Amino acid sequence: MRIAMISEHASPLAALGGADAGGQNAHVAELSAALAAQGHEVRVYTRRDHADLPTVVPLGGYHVVHVPAGPPVTLPKDELLPYMGAFGEWMAADWRDGWRPDVAHAHFWMSGLATVTASRACPVPVLLTYHALGSVKRRHQGAADPSPRRRIPYERQLGAVVDRVVVQCQDEIRELLALGVPRTSMALVPSGVNTERFRPDGPAVPGTGRPRILSVGRLVERKGFEDLIRAMPAVPGAECVIVGGQPDDEPYARRLHDLAERCGVGDRVHLAGAVPAADMPRWYRSADVLAAAPWYEPFGLTPLEAMACGVPVVGTAVGGLVDTVVDGVTGDLVPPRDPRTLGRTLRRLLTDDVRRYSYAAAAADRAGHSYSWRRVATQLAAVYAAVAGLTRAAETDDAREVVA
Ligand code: UDP
């Protein structure tokens, strides 16, 4: 099959751990490589954010295509909406010029808009993975949510016009039903983990002699790092290493430092900053436990990557973590925004070697068995094939508004 992946802000070529580069970039890169390895022809369309970028870059068996849409500079993803029309038109021209895909799989709602625009000009079945939902973000961030004002209505309309919505976890199904997306247009295929790179055996970042609690993510409030720091007094002797972000430049990092000082754990909390994706397995292997304390999490790759490295997870019972972490088997689930329970649970696990080793073995087994990219790509290819055999759904007035 010829497969177009559309990921307007999240390029597979970006360095991860910065402001707008995280799970979606990794997901699109790994999925594309896994589909290419199965013999599919894959092109990833992403926005050109630097003037010197070549139009086409070969990568891991597939191609990244840089679409000229808006100024060729880095922009926050929340400022990209005005350029999605141009993005879609450029893509349609590319498809008409000879590389017409069998399916187009859009990642994130803005890519969905660009892809629906393109498919109007050059009919191709469209699939959409939201990755994150505006309704959930608004619920948690309220007035601080910088998303474009019309995000939620656009997401609702997209759910009605695309040929298939690929959902990543049970929690997302509930959210999408509430948004009015029909259950019949959803296909549940989780994200995956590269089990060749993320594996229990291999080198590890040296330890300091203290039990290590690792937490990984962009330095944003909703990742729950403050809750984790507040939990640390209940875990005496352990260190907490946070990987991600730019601690020297981001004001939020100062806030985390100050909080650690106030909690009396400043000497046991270390902000390591963003590390290259290639180094992540070494960090996971250095940990006794991975703590993931988000307030909400559309899927959450880092718990899964830790599991694949044979590291138990203490995570909040939100989003994809409820599916990936089997409570009491591969890790422990705790309520979000509850530092007291988080601390108690971390302490219990760090002082119980038998429980930790048994979680570790079950975690590696589960990640390898249920979430390898090969398995995910096979499942998705079956969905693509089914959708490619369909005629496009009737277009509605709502749909026209989506691309206005
Ligand atoms: N990551 C990385 N370097 C860092 C921090 C994170 O390579 O310094 C990677 C991490 O391994 C994972 C992704 O970024 O693949 C984060 O994905 P997740 O779903 O956990 O969070 P998101 O950033 O999408 O909210």
Side-chain angles (χ1 to χ4, degrees):
M1 261 183 295
R2 271 190 180 171
I3 301 159
M5 295 283 176
I6 298 87
S7 184
E8 88 307 351
H9 71 279
S11 168
L13 294 163
L16 306 185
D20 275 338
Q24 187 180 325
N25 307 64
H27 176 96
V28 171
E30 294 284 2
L31 174 59
S32 301
L35 286 163
Q38 295 186 0
H40 300 291
E41 210 183 311
V42 182
R43 280 191 181 182
V44 178
Y45 293 86
T46 192
R47 201 183 74 85
R48 177 194 289 270
D49 62 3
H50 198 286
D52 295 341
L53 284 172
T55 303
V56 181
V57 179
L59 183 72
Y62 62 97
H63 289 93
V64 179
V65 181
H66 291 114
V67 178
V73 294
T74 306
L75 292 172
K77 69 173 182 291
D78 292 314
E79 291 177 18
L80 297 180
L81 181 57
Y83 311 117
M84 289 303 107
F87 193 119
E89 280 156 25
W90 192 93
M91 206 158 48
D94 193 49
W95 296 350
R96 274 195 306 255
D97 282 350
W99 199 86
R100 186 177 176 144
D102 296 299
V103 289
H105 185 169
H107 298 264
F108 200 60
W109 66 279
M110 278 193 258
S111 300
L113 295 184
T115 309
V116 169
T117 303
S119 77
R120 290 292 151 70
C122 181
V124 166
V126 177
L127 299 94
L128 171 64
T129 299
Y130 286 98
H131 286 275
L133 284 170
S135 50
V136 179
K137 192 167 184 181
R138 181 60 55 86
R139 191 181 309 142
H140 288 277
Q141 299 197 1
D145 177 6
S147 304
R149 203 175 43 80
R150 301 253 317 138
R151 174 174 178 177
I152 297 171
Y154 276 138
E155 287 183 336
R156 184 178 294 118
Q157 290 168 354
L158 282 166
V161 300
V162 298
D163 296 279
R164 201 69 97 239
V165 174
V166 180
V167 295
Q168 298 193 301
C169 62
Q170 297 288 343
D171 184 57
E172 192 183 359
I173 295 180
R174 276 189 292 277
E175 293 289 348
L176 288 175
L177 287 173
L179 199 66
V181 177
R183 180 68 183 87
T184 46
S185 68
M186 298 183 208
L188 174 60
V189 183
S191 193
V193 61
N194 185 327
T195 46
E196 275 147 39
R197 285 180 48 230
F198 295 99
R199 49 195 293 165
D201 55 319
V205 173
T208 57
R210 291 182 187 273
R212 176 172 290 171
I213 299 168
L214 179 71
S215 200
V216 180
R218 294 170 292 124
L219 295 185
V220 293
E221 205 175 19
R222 66 122 170 142
K223 291 284 180 184
F225 296 124
E226 289 172 70
D227 296 331
L228 178 57
I229 291 170
R230 287 199 180 91
M232 285 306 290
V235 202
E239 67 176 4
C240 168
V241 178
I242 297 175
V243 164
Q246 312 295 336
D248 296 335
D249 297 340
E250 293 181 47
Y252 189 61
R254 175 100 311 262
R255 211 162 110 191
L256 294 178
H257 274 300
D258 292 347
L259 178 65
E261 290 299 336
R262 279 203 309 280
C263 293
V265 294
D267 59 331
R268 294 194 285 126
V269 172
H270 175 54
L271 269 57
V275 309
D279 288 346
M280 286 307 302
R282 295 172 59 240
W283 278 96
Y284 289 123
R285 287 187 208 113
S286 78
D288 296 283
V289 55
L290 181 97
W295 300 347
Y296 69 93
E297 188 62 272
F299 183 76
L301 281 178
T302 58
L304 197 52
E305 291 169 349
M307 286 168 64
C309 291
V311 178
V313 175
V314 172
T316 46
V318 298
L321 276 78
V322 180
D323 291 10
T324 49
V325 179
V326 184
D327 192 25
V329 177
T330 69
D332 291 311
L333 290 175
V334 298
R337 302 194 195 219
D338 183 351
R340 189 189 285 249
T341 309
L342 179 61
R344 213 175 33 235
T345 308
L346 284 166
R347 180 181 185 155
R348 186 185 68 160
L349 193 55
L350 285 175
T351 51
D352 184 344
D353 290 349
V354 173
R355 182 188 290 265
R356 226 173 43 253
Y357 296 148
S358 113
Y359 280 7
D365 191 54
R366 177 166 173 75
H369 185 263
S370 300
Y371 293 97
S372 73
W373 276 112
R374 194 193 323 190
R375 182 183 164 120
V376 172
T378 304
Q379 289 175 335
L380 262 181
V383 177
Y384 293 159
V387 172
L390 296 176
T391 49
R392 271 190 61 72
E395 294 179 356
T396 62
D397 287 339
D398 268 354
R400 260 192 293 284
E401 203 202 326
V402 166
V403 296

